[in-house]
Amino acid sequence: MRRFTFAASATGATYTAFPSMEKPAQSEIVVKGIAASQGIAYGQIFLYVQKDLDLPQFQIDPARRVEEIARFDHALVETRKEIGRVRAEVAKNLGEDEARIFDAHLMVLEDQALIGETIREMEKTGLNIEACFHRVSQRYVQAFEEIPDEYLRERVADIRDVSKRVLHALLGQAAASLSSILQNRIVAANDISPSDAASIDRSNVLGIVTEGGSRTSHAVIVARSLKVPAVVAVKGITEIARDGAWAILDGYDGHIILNPTEQTLFRYGKLQEKRRTVESRIMAVNRLPAETQDGVRVQLLANIEKAEEVELVRNYQADGVGLYRTEYLFLNAAHLPDEDEQYAAYSAVAEGLAPLPVVLRTLDLGGDKADTSGVARVDSEANPFLGFRAIRICLEIPDFFKKQLRAVLRASASGNVQIMYPMICSADELTQANRLLEEAKEELRARGQPFDPKVKVGSMIEIPSAAATMDLLAEESDFFSVGTNDLIQYTLAIDRLNVRIAHLYQPAHPAVLRTLRTIFSEAARFKLPAGVCGEMAGDPAYAALLLGLGATSLSMAPPLIPTVKYLVRNMKMSDARKFAKEMLELRDAKEIQTRCEEFYRDHTKELALG
Ligand code: PEP
Ligand code: MG
């Protein structure tokens, strides 16, 4: 039997491609999208399609009610089995802690009040059982959402999840679940939510291809950290790709090749060899400092989502953590993490990396990071990115916010912790947040618990109003960090997730460059550091531009650090400054982008694929 092998550089694993004669004869199809996370994956497609349930509602004959109840019982049994199966898989793949959420789901399923009420609803209304179950579970969700007790409120997510499963079982449809991937697969989906992404097991997911999404959607940000290749905005992929079909996912060029021919596999094999050579060139200098040729040391930091990523931060030689997205602790959590649980996660990172700095960003739920924890009590909003999000949630639920602040402060006793607030829109919000921080410090003093009294506090600059009031924010900030993902969407009025207008999401837009110039020069005027932690910082094409404009650090997914460092070591800061000045003179975003790519290529000629 003939076999081709080629290695996927993104995961370091070797996959074996079988010649086409062993596969059903299907023609090769290339579908274009947007490259979102670098790397090549070769494997079979796992179709992950979530459709809205089409819930029927009709009157049933009273004589058939017993049958309806039996159908309901059967659905409950099936759902219980399914949850048990998923629980076992998650426990095996992700650990017992992550699997506990399903115990809570089983408890919902066994809730006699919910079951009894559904049957009574049927007797009262004469409607089919799925319609009755849906009505009752909706009433439960509403009632739980109004309860002031946090623990009970967070059960809302469990009820929603379980109800969906039961309805799927009643309607005879399987509910899609990412945790049910058992073998190495390329996931093809309409979209992947951040909580789905947080449960991805990188040993099973070879790559991700989605119809929606963008380079800055949070699922993609997670994929980049995990070094999982991803291509987004691939129109119709869930219609075109068949479950189980073989495919090559090219996360460099941004396309997917379904049913690749032998020639294509061979070509990719060759390409992979070249990429491996380039990668080893980049890695060879990664232990050296990020210092430009004219002697300027640049701080390259890591963005992390989970405490377990400390290892990655070290492996990629980051100078610390510039952004720890703490909200990931709350996505998919079996229960709302209490102060001690939060402290355990934060201090593990602080301690594990001390004396390197670790910037802990306070909760940034909302936007595309739907509140699965039940904290915010946000159901759905017309414009979630302009809605109840991040610091807005925290300031409205001060007890909850202070719990996080106390956990962060306690972690500051075991490392070099800094605190950062997301989505600051006005100086008043910063003052309110700092007031709560002072209260949290007082509470810890009263308890006799140690913390760093000089802990630094930073504001994220990701809303144009913050960029325009840097002087006001400087009064109460020790540092700034620019969240370009949001800053671009709010400056250009382009939803960062909207595929239809993805081409208008332009990091190199002159308005973005001018805003960045203002931010950095204002920060310098107040002698405060201002780094960048949005995805732009990890894009080697923009690294020189950002540094030239005055960024004092760049923070990115750990696997992106080596390439940016390679560029930094091959350029002069004086050239980057000159270059940035020139770019500020240009009027066309595409031209600026092309010039940025040229700058990168001209300074890293040894990395060309040839
Ligand atoms: C940003 O907006 O650039 C940022 C880093 O925050 P997030 O992507 O989590 O919104
Ligand atoms: Mg942001």
Side-chain angles (χ1 to χ4, degrees), residues 498-509:
N498 190 331
V499 176
R500 183 70 187 76
I501 49 172
H503 59 290
L504 299 175
Y505 186 94
Q506 294 171 318
H509 192 292

Side-chain angles (χ1 to χ4, degrees), residues 472-604:
L472 306 180
L473 300 179
E475 289 169 14
E476 290 194 58
S477 304
D478 297 310
F479 66 93
F480 297 111
S481 185
V482 186
T484 47
N485 302 341
D486 280 316
L487 186 66
I488 296 166
Q489 79 164 340
Y490 297 134
T491 302
L492 305 180
I494 302 292
D495 180 342
R496 68 196 252 191
L497 301 183
N498 190 331
V499 176
R500 183 70 187 76
I501 49 172
H503 59 290
L504 299 175
Y505 186 94
Q506 294 171 318
H509 192 292
V512 175
L513 267 55
R514 289 177 193 195
T515 307
L516 290 170
R517 175 184 55 184
T518 303
I519 294 170
F520 298 132
S521 61
E522 281 291 274
R525 187 159 74 90
F526 292 94
K527 299 195 171 39
L528 294 176
V532 179
C533 64
E535 297 312 293
M536 209 175 161
D539 187 335
Y542 293 125
L545 175 70
L546 293 173
L547 293 169
L549 285 170
T552 54
S553 64
L554 299 177
S555 192
M556 62 203 82
L560 303 177
I561 290 175
T563 311
V564 174
K565 189 186 277 187
Y566 193 92
L567 167 71
V568 166
R569 290 184 54 79
N570 281 282
M571 69 175 212
K572 283 188 183 156
M573 190 58 92
S574 56
D575 287 343
R577 291 197 184 113
K578 209 165 116 235
F579 176 69
K581 246 194 197 140
E582 277 170 37
M583 295 306 102
L584 281 164
E585 300 295 319
L586 300 180
R587 65 194 308 276
D588 179 48
K590 286 218 180 71
E591 188 184 348
I592 299 173
Q593 185 189 335
T594 308
R595 292 282 303 275
C596 287
E597 285 162 3
E598 274 167 18
F599 185 99
Y600 170 69
R601 270 201 307 274
D602 290 349
H603 289 81
T604 56

